[in-house]
Amino acid sequence: MLSLENFSHHYANSDFRLGPFNLDVQPGECLGVMGQNGAGKSTLFQILTGNLRLSEGSARFGDQPISISNYALKKRFGYLPQNLELPKWVSAKELFSYAANLYELQNSQDIIESSLDYWDIRHFADRPLTACSHGMKKRVSLGLATIHSPDILILDEPFSGLDLFHIKALQDNIQERKQQKLITILSTHIAPYTASLCSRLVGIRRGELLPVEPWGDKSALEKIEIVESFFFKNET
Amino acid sequence: MLRQSLLLVKIFVSSFIRKIRYDFISESVVLVCSSVLLFLFYYMFQDFIHVKMAALDASTRENFAKTFSYILLFVTAYAVTKWTRGESKLEFSTIGQTATRLGTDKVTVAWYRLIQSTLIQICCFVSQWVIINSFFYPFSIGQILGLQTLISAFLFLSLKWSSPQIKKHTAYRGSQKHKQHSPSQALVAWRWQQILFRQRSSRIALTAGGGSAALLVISLFLNKADSLIILLSMAMGFFVGSAIIFQIEEDMKHCWLEKTLGISHERYTSAYLKVGILASLTMSIFLCLTIFTLYFVLGKSFDLVTSLKVIPISSIGPLAVAPLMFQIDPEKSLVQMLLCFFVCLFLGTGIFAHWLFAAAIPILLYYGMKYQKDLFYK
């Protein structure tokens, strides 16, 4: 279980403060995180992936604290950032090989091949990433985030740049993760995807965690209405 | 049309000023640190340099001064060319491309680029020429204009056409096979591959290092002055160190990758230290073989003991990069190069004066690595 207690972060030269709030995410959940641009979603993800130091409170995964220096735990996380800064003059295959070595994966050759096939990267696997389109880079980044079958997968705007075929692949991947009792945290502005994939939704507004009406067994349309009403009610 | 071009130039200037204002504190820190290094070096070595320079004949002193001037001009021209060529990239982040995509005609954008690049060159080179004419060599106006045009044109052409960078449509064939490595090995192997085969700036720096090595061998062969040989070994080390610095700059753009993959600060900096050690060993072996071949096989009569000093001196550059990489700002390659330059000059001059100064290299490594602990995650 992912557990955040009195979770709070503030930047040194800014008035912005994320939190404090408490949040638990159970195994098998896909948690949707919604909020306006600049609300604090990416800051939350940066702290969860150990790229930023938490100012106050605690974040734990199971019995292990999430921190910058817990390198072994970081390898159990997968992260797709919103801004895709990837090395320019390497190919997808080389990047996967590099990641596989850094993750210390066993049978890494098979895992790399499988990842290239799943995300449909094979036909441009040898091309320098700088020559790839945004959608191609997005698929490469998704491959990097999932190559090690992480216990927690954090996806920040994963659908932008993907065509329908690859959106389906991503949706299937998230559904499979739910069945395997793995945690997924998804941030997207596309309400239908939030409605179809997320078990639960939380909202962030100016650093504050806001409650959202629980889904229950509502239909997809009702869920979309909940998402939209939350967003427009809290952002106006 | 010209009015529109000037408007674009105005946007460029105001965005540049805004950028400096936004990063004011970090830019000021960089400026202050660089100035402190400059003045510290000048203060500590002015007497030594003046004594050594006074011992040389006038024409050699003049050649030294001109060489320093050319190096400074080359570095400035490279930075300026890189900056102005950045505007020609097909990215929305450049003003020229944004204007083009918004429907501005090509002639207006071309005028904008011309005015913009001229403005950048005037701002950068005027200050360079003032420094050169004040401290190195008093070039005449005609010489200045001629050199300026020549260096900028040469650099632009060499960057455009003789770049070893792989074309975008080419697929990488050479190093495609997955090899199982430990994380430490993977970090080092990755960087080696980028520096040697992919990263254009690094390859240009390595080429310059190779050029310095060739000149060094020729100088030994022709039994040139010890000062020249030592200077060329410093240059060799500096250029190889710069190759690593360019790779660091590139890596910092996507360091989230290594951070997310659970790489610690120690592991990351150790990888760069190993790259530096490998580079130093390669250069040392090369120089050792060269010196012994020239001295014992070909019977050249240079001072063997002084010549062997080129081995530790050339090693300083690549070794100094890792302990210094996070001290100021790893994203600014020019600042890193300036720091590396002063360390090479400081320690190199010390070793030239006395062998015992070579003990400063492991001290630099130890304290440098120690006093940048965990800065990778800041």
Side-chain angles (χ1 to χ4, degrees):
Chain A
M1 184 173 81
L2 178 67
S3 176
L4 311 181
E5 270 184 45
N6 288 324
F7 188 96
S8 174
H9 181 77
H10 59 91
Y11 289 102
N13 297 317
S14 168
D15 293 330
F16 175 78
R17 187 182 188 90
L18 176 65
F21 56 77
N22 297 330
L23 180 66
D24 289 333
V25 187
Q26 302 295 333
E29 264 198 300
C30 177
L31 177 74
V33 178
M34 273 198 65
Q36 205 181 29
N37 297 325
K41 303 187 295 296
S42 295
T43 304
L44 170 65
F45 299 154
Q46 291 285 321
I47 295 169
L48 289 179
T49 51
N51 289 338
L52 263 186
R53 207 179 297 275
L54 183 60
S55 300
E56 286 163 31
S58 71
R60 302 188 76 82
F61 180 56
D63 56 354
Q64 292 212 46
I66 296 171
S67 71
I68 281 176
S69 55
N70 196 343
Y71 305 112
L73 183 62
K74 281 187 189 186
K75 294 187 184 196
R76 297 170 66 186
F77 280 67
Y79 178 45
L80 175 75
Q82 191 173 10
N83 296 319
L84 292 181
E85 282 289 346
L86 292 172
K88 285 184 192 168
W89 301 103
V90 300
S91 66
K93 208 187 276 187
E94 287 169 341
L95 195 53
F96 281 13
S97 174
Y98 180 56
N101 282 327
L102 293 187
Y103 278 132
E104 299 179 270
L105 297 179
Q106 303 300 318
N107 301 319
S108 42
Q109 183 67 44
D110 294 335
I111 292 170
I112 291 166
E113 298 298 327
S114 161
S115 228
L116 290 173
D117 289 329
Y118 187 85
W119 296 109
D120 192 29
I121 294 170
R122 178 104 26 214
H123 66 283
F124 62 89
D126 297 328
R127 209 187 291 178
L129 288 177
T130 193
C132 299
S133 67
H134 176 72
M136 289 172 171
K137 287 184 200 172
K138 182 58 71 87
R139 279 143 58 193
V140 171
S141 299
L142 279 166
L144 277 178
T146 56
I147 195 170
H148 57 305
S149 303
D151 294 330
I152 298 185
L153 179 63
I154 299 173
L155 304 169
D156 197 347
E157 296 296 346
F159 297 104
S160 71
L162 294 181
D163 56 37
L164 286 173
F165 181 81
H166 301 109
I167 286 173
K168 178 79 171 56
L170 176 56
Q171 288 176 316
D172 290 344
N173 186 272
I174 294 172
Q175 296 293 9
E176 199 182 322
R177 287 179 58 82
K178 284 158 81 173
Q179 284 164 12
Q180 290 172 355
K181 299 289 178 196
L182 300 172
I183 293 174
T184 308
I185 299 175
L186 173 65
S187 170
T188 177
H189 291 295
I190 305 172
Y193 294 136
T194 310
S196 66
L197 292 169
C198 297
S199 331
R200 185 160 64 103
L201 182 68
V202 295
I204 298 182
R205 178 177 174 263
R206 291 182 204 150
E208 200 184 326
L209 196 77
L210 298 173
V212 181
E213 183 185 338
W215 284 157
D217 290 325
K218 292 187 168 55
S219 68
L221 276 175
E222 283 170 324
K223 287 180 187 175
I224 291 170
E225 273 179 27
I226 292 172
V227 170
E228 288 178 352
S229 68
F230 168 82
F231 190 87
F232 290 115
K233 179 182 137 192
N234 285 289
E235 303 307 336
T236 51
Chain B
M1 189 186 294
L2 193 59
R3 235 174 91 181
Q4 263 191 303
S5 306
L6 289 172
L7 178 64
L8 290 174
V9 172
K10 187 184 163 194
I11 294 171
F12 166 75
V13 170
S14 57
S15 74
F16 183 74
I17 292 169
R18 202 170 295 123
K19 181 181 180 296
I20 292 176
R21 221 184 316 149
Y22 182 77
D23 286 335
F24 182 69
I25 292 171
S26 61
E27 298 288 342
S28 304
V29 166
V30 167
L31 189 66
V32 165
C33 290
S34 306
S35 306
V36 164
L37 283 168
L38 256 163
F39 286 113
L40 185 68
F41 171 76
Y42 183 70
Y43 177 75
M44 292 177 77
F45 281 95
Q46 55 178 331
D47 289 337
F48 176 75
I49 291 168
H50 288 150
V51 164
K52 280 289 173 191
M53 285 292 153
L56 299 169
D57 59 275
S59 67
T60 308
R61 278 207 303 275
E62 200 175 286
N63 287 334
F64 264 127
K66 279 183 180 173
T67 307
F68 271 119
S69 309
Y70 296 149
I71 290 170
L72 200 59
L73 282 168
F74 185 87
V75 170
T76 309
Y78 178 76
V80 165
T81 308
K82 200 174 162 192
W83 189 2
T84 51
R85 280 196 69 225
E87 270 290 302
S88 65
K89 285 186 193 166
L90 288 171
E91 290 165 8
F92 267 114
S93 58
T94 63
I95 293 166
Q97 281 304 324
T98 306
T100 306
R101 287 174 200 261
L102 289 172
T104 310
D105 64 283
K106 287 183 183 175
V107 176
T108 305
V109 174
W111 270 109
Y112 153 71
R113 289 210 177 109
L114 184 66
I115 299 168
Q116 183 233 29
S117 62
T118 309
L119 195 64
I120 291 171
Q121 292 201 41
I122 289 170
C123 291
C124 293
F125 280 106
V126 161
S127 52
Q128 287 303 305
W129 283 114
V130 166
I131 292 169
I132 286 169
N133 274 36
S134 306
F135 296 104
F136 294 116
Y137 185 82
F139 288 96
S140 67
I141 297 291
Q143 284 175 316
I144 288 170
L145 288 172
L147 273 169
Q148 174 72 36
T149 312
L150 200 65
I151 289 172
S152 298
F154 172 74
L155 264 175
F156 183 80
L157 288 171
S158 63
L159 280 174
K160 192 175 169 60
W161 285 304
S162 63
S163 163
Q165 193 76 311
I166 295 168
K167 297 278 184 238
K168 284 186 180 183
H169 61 269
T170 305
Y172 293 135
R173 301 274 176 229
S175 50
Q176 297 307 298
K177 276 192 178 171
H178 169 68
K179 289 171 198 163
Q180 196 77 27
H181 288 307
S182 68
S184 301
Q185 287 172 331
L187 286 167
V188 175
W190 178 263
R191 271 134 198 95
W192 258 132
Q193 185 207 39
Q194 299 299 304
I195 290 168
L196 291 176
F197 303 112
R198 305 288 173 84
Q199 183 64 16
R200 176 169 57 192
S201 313
S202 296
R203 295 178 74 176
I204 291 174
L206 284 177
T207 308
S212 306
L215 288 172
L216 175 59
V217 172
I218 293 168
S219 303
L220 282 168
F221 187 84
L222 296 175
N223 208 9
K224 291 290 182 186
D226 289 342
S227 318
L228 177 64
I229 290 164
I230 297 298
L231 209 59
L232 285 168
S233 67
M234 280 187 212
M236 189 176 155
F238 168 72
F239 284 124
V240 173
S242 299
I244 304 172
I245 286 169
F246 286 130
Q247 181 55 34
I248 292 172
E249 184 189 31
E250 185 59 32
D251 273 348
M252 287 297 113
K253 292 175 188 169
H254 42 77
C255 60
W256 67 269
L257 199 62
E258 279 87 3
K259 288 179 188 175
T260 310
L261 265 63
I263 300 301
S264 64
H265 166 92
E266 286 74 25
R267 211 166 225 183
Y268 195 78
T269 48
S270 293
Y272 271 107
L273 185 61
K274 284 173 190 167
V275 169
I277 290 170
L278 283 169
S280 304
L281 273 173
T282 309
M283 287 194 297
S284 300
I285 292 169
F286 165 75
L287 287 170
C288 214
L289 286 171
T290 305
I291 289 168
F292 280 110
T293 304
L294 288 171
Y295 193 82
F296 292 108
V297 176
L298 297 178
K300 293 292 165 184
S301 58
F302 50 76
D303 182 354
L304 181 65
V305 172
T306 305
S307 300
L308 284 173
K309 287 180 180 176
V310 302
I311 295 170
I313 289 173
S314 63
S315 301
I316 297 166
L319 287 176
V321 173
L324 299 173
M325 61 192 276
F326 288 112
Q327 301 291 353
I328 302 181
D329 190 343
E331 293 172 359
K332 291 185 165 56
S333 57
L334 280 180
V335 172
Q336 294 291 325
M337 283 166 67
L338 189 67
L339 193 55
C340 182
F341 174 77
F342 285 124
V343 170
C344 287
L345 214 47
F346 179 84
L347 291 182
T349 313
I351 294 172
F352 182 33
H354 200 286
W355 270 105
L356 274 179
F357 222 89
I361 297 175
I363 294 172
L364 164 73
L365 291 181
Y366 175 73
Y367 283 104
M369 299 297 275
K370 187 178 170 185
Y371 286 109
Q372 59 178 6
K373 201 167 150 45
D374 288 338
L375 288 181
F376 180 45
Y377 281 92
K378 287 183 182 166

